[in-house]
Amino acid sequence: MYRGRRLRVNEGIRSLVRETHIQVENLVYPVFIIEGTNIKAPVDSMPGIYQYSIDRLDEELDRIHESGVSSILVFGIPAHKDEAGSQAYAEDGITQKAIRYIKSRYPEMIIIADVCLCEYTSHGHCGLIHEGEILNDETLPLLCKMSVSLCNAGADIIAPSDMMDGRIEAIRKALDENGMINVPIMSYSAKYASGFYSPFRDAAHSAPCFGDRRSYQMDYANGKEALREIEHDIEEGADIVMVKPALAYLDVIKEVSGRFDYPVAAYNVSGEYAMVKAAAQNGWIDEKRIVMENLIGMKRAGASVLITYHALDVANWLKE
């Protein structure tokens, strides 16, 4: 007679046969760096997350280093924004300066640089606009300039999140032509037009000033479309593919990991983080237990990279 409980009788046996594990090497921690001085500004909708100016960044970098997390995803928030998002690809832009500073302090830290114009444009959209239309092909050269600029500053991985068609091929070509053939591209391949992003837009100051992003981000009702998007990105040169958000899209992560023999990243996004934090602060849930259960679910679905605002807490829990 089969008795499944034999393998659940105590923690030692449960650990012995556990199928899915999270390792600190799997974790990527997002960091928000804002132009200015002496800034450590809390993001109210994301308890425990802050915007840092470069002169205050050491305390965050030291905390990341001590946790054992070795990879970060960098978002820059400029003081100046314009129609073309010029600070995104300026050699002295906030993100470029931040990357140089991080590499000077922790050269071994893996820096993943987000590539998108939304934080840098005055209108908050991810591409150039003309008469209310987000322009696809005209935006690609700017994404290429931004990618090369971030790599020149020291970024280890480029992560295009804009969802413009053809941007992976264009960026790969630009990187290769500039001698950056060994820089991987982590593509936000299946990025859905989701309601889970609202706290991030508070953190990155990137909310669109008009309309929404549904004409270029994916419809959350579509699963097969995600497979097409990922297949195209791989053909264009992506090295890692991403599904974003994670919790409502575990089926997509599962399909992607089963079909493509490429590393899959899951972005445990700001709204998912904020819901857990809010419920925990109200005493409704056990935060540690829920966070680990959520991340194990993403890993079990097939994600090999976990981008999460919980990363430092998880790293410390794993030490315990």
Side-chain angles (χ1 to χ4, degrees):
M1 176 182 175
Y2 171 75
R3 288 188 180 272
R5 290 182 58 183
R6 292 187 188 118
L7 300 181
R8 305 172 199 148
V9 69
N10 59 49
E11 179 56 26
I13 293 176
R14 290 192 295 272
S15 296
L16 178 68
V17 299
R18 189 161 289 142
E19 299 174 13
T20 308
H21 299 269
I22 293 173
Q23 297 174 302
V24 70
E25 293 83 3
N26 304 142
L27 303 172
V28 177
Y29 183 60
V31 178
F32 298 97
I33 304 162
I34 191 166
E35 203 152 11
T37 58
N38 195 31
I39 299 172
K40 180 183 177 181
V43 181
D44 292 339
S45 55
M46 298 176 69
I49 301 299
Y50 296 84
Q51 301 163 334
Y52 290 90
S53 55
I54 292 176
D55 61 315
R56 292 289 302 273
L57 193 54
D58 276 357
E59 59 186 281
E60 184 74 324
L61 294 177
D62 293 345
R63 199 163 68 99
I64 295 167
H65 178 70
E66 289 165 8
S67 76
V69 171
S70 59
S71 301
I72 60 173
L73 177 58
V74 174
F75 298 95
I77 307 165
H80 170 76
K81 302 189 180 197
D82 55 39
E83 289 282 311
S86 60
Q87 286 298 298
Y89 39 88
E91 292 304 314
D92 62 348
I94 179 60
T95 311
Q96 287 81 355
K97 289 190 289 189
I99 291 171
R100 291 189 189 98
Y101 182 77
I102 295 166
K103 281 296 184 183
S104 74
R105 290 278 286 110
Y106 289 107
E108 74 285 356
M109 193 172 284
I110 299 300
I111 299 178
I112 305 168
D114 182 83
V115 172
C116 191
L117 299 185
C118 62
E119 296 139 65
Y120 306 88
T121 55
S122 52
H123 46 75
H125 277 286
C126 302
L128 297 174
I129 58 171
H130 178 67
E131 296 180 352
E133 179 186 355
I134 289 79
L135 303 177
N136 191 97
D137 294 1
E138 294 83 351
T139 299
L140 300 185
L142 302 186
L143 299 174
C144 293
K145 286 178 65 176
M146 184 180 183
S147 299
V148 171
S149 174
L150 294 170
C151 286
N152 280 331
D156 298 287
I157 298 174
I158 292 298
S161 63
D162 55 283
M163 287 299 284
M164 298 295 117
D165 291 336
R167 90 269 203 217
I168 302 302
E169 182 177 18
I171 291 171
R172 182 73 272 163
K173 182 179 179 182
L175 293 177
D176 291 354
E177 288 177 348
N178 283 273
M180 301 166 180
I181 60 173
N182 291 323
V183 175
I185 295 177
M186 175 191 287
S187 176
Y188 289 63
S189 299
K191 182 179 181 181
Y192 286 87
S194 171
F196 284 103
Y197 301 150
S198 295
F200 174 89
R201 291 170 184 170
D202 294 339
H205 298 175
S206 63
C209 293
F210 67 90
D212 54 42
R213 296 177 176 147
R214 297 182 190 185
S215 69
Y216 47 101
Q217 294 179 358
M218 287 179 53
D219 186 336
Y220 63 75
N222 295 348
K224 293 178 181 178
E225 182 185 1
L227 301 179
R228 295 198 299 272
E229 291 281 348
I230 285 169
E231 184 173 15
H232 282 301
D233 281 3
I234 290 172
E235 290 173 351
E236 291 181 9
D239 302 283
I240 304 169
V241 294
M242 186 193 301
V243 176
K244 180 186 181 186
L247 285 178
Y249 303 87
L250 294 176
D251 61 318
V252 177
I253 296 172
K254 185 77 170 178
E255 286 285 335
V256 171
S257 66
R259 180 172 297 200
F260 303 102
D261 190 19
Y262 274 72
V264 178
Y267 200 144
N268 180 209
V269 298
S270 59
E272 298 167 349
Y273 172 89
M275 290 192 301
V276 170
K277 282 290 186 180
Q281 288 179 347
N282 279 285
W284 297 336
I285 61 170
D286 179 331
E287 180 177 352
K288 175 181 176 181
R289 186 170 181 179
I290 294 296
V291 169
M292 295 303 291
E293 189 171 339
N294 284 344
L295 295 181
I296 283 288
M298 298 168 205
K299 193 83 184 292
R300 194 177 62 244
S304 49
V305 177
L306 301 174
I307 304 169
T308 177
Y309 302 95
H310 298 288
L312 304 191
D313 286 336
V314 171
N316 289 322
W317 294 335
L318 291 175
K319 291 178 186 177
E320 296 170 6

